[in-house]
Amino acid sequence: MDDRVKYWMELSDYDLETARAMFTTGRWLYVGFMCHQTIEKIFKAYWCTKSKQATPMSHNLINIAQSCGLNSMLDEDQKMFISEIMPLNIEARYPSYKETLLRSLSKEKCEELLEKTNKLQQWTKDRL
């Protein structure tokens, strides 16, 4: 396996473990943030299988997926999930959005995010 692919895959695994740790401690905002990071990094691992260039310096999951051809393989549920977690990366970084996000993230919602993140990460790994 290419070292770049391995690098991004390991970071993705680490971020998923972190999301689970944040779930255990009830830090819902950071569960969402780390789920986004998990998918961003596994998409970048896939991107590395398609290009020798540096990975895109972007957090936009849709753009990353489109730039490497992954988007055309995603089903509608996966695309909807990506759209759902996109704001959890950027908006979690800014105080004015945190309160709104916190109201939308509950234990149940975070359980769902973790389950879908795990499935999409594994689906992507199966294509590496």
Side-chain angles (χ1 to χ4, degrees):
M1 180 180 295
D2 182 298
D3 286 343
R4 297 178 317 136
V5 173
K6 186 177 177 186
Y7 168 79
W8 286 109
M9 192 169 60
E10 288 174 355
L11 288 176
S12 178
D13 289 342
Y14 185 86
D15 287 347
L16 185 54
E17 289 176 34
T18 302
R20 290 179 180 134
M22 293 296 98
F23 180 82
T24 300
T25 60
R27 296 179 183 246
W28 312 136
L29 182 65
Y30 294 100
V31 171
F33 179 78
M34 296 312 298
C35 285
H36 179 284
Q37 290 294 295
T38 299
I39 299 305
E40 178 182 329
K41 291 170 185 168
I42 201 64
F43 280 7
K44 287 181 177 181
Y46 184 83
W47 194 92
C48 289
T49 67
K50 301 298 174 188
S51 178
K52 295 294 179 194
Q53 296 178 4
T55 56
M57 302 215 33
S58 173
H59 302 292
N60 186 314
L61 301 177
I62 295 167
N63 288 347
I64 297 167
Q66 287 174 338
S67 71
C68 65
L70 192 57
N71 196 57
S72 64
M73 294 186 279
L74 297 168
D75 65 30
E76 286 307 310
D77 288 338
Q78 290 168 322
K79 289 177 183 178
M80 285 177 47
F81 176 62
I82 290 167
S83 294
E84 180 182 358
I85 64 170
M86 285 265 296
L88 301 178
N89 177 55
I90 302 302
E91 293 178 10
R93 297 174 187 237
Y94 299 100
S96 60
Y97 292 109
K98 284 185 179 184
E99 289 302 316
T100 302
L101 282 176
L102 279 171
R103 285 192 296 272
S104 70
L105 296 172
S106 63
K107 180 179 182 178
E108 294 76 20
K109 182 63 179 175
C110 288
E111 281 179 315
E112 177 188 329
L113 290 175
L114 280 168
E115 179 183 334
K116 289 181 178 181
T117 298
N118 188 61
K119 285 181 181 178
L120 183 54
Q121 185 204 44
Q122 188 58 55
W123 180 90
T124 307
K125 281 182 177 182
D126 292 344
R127 282 143 186 81
L128 294 178

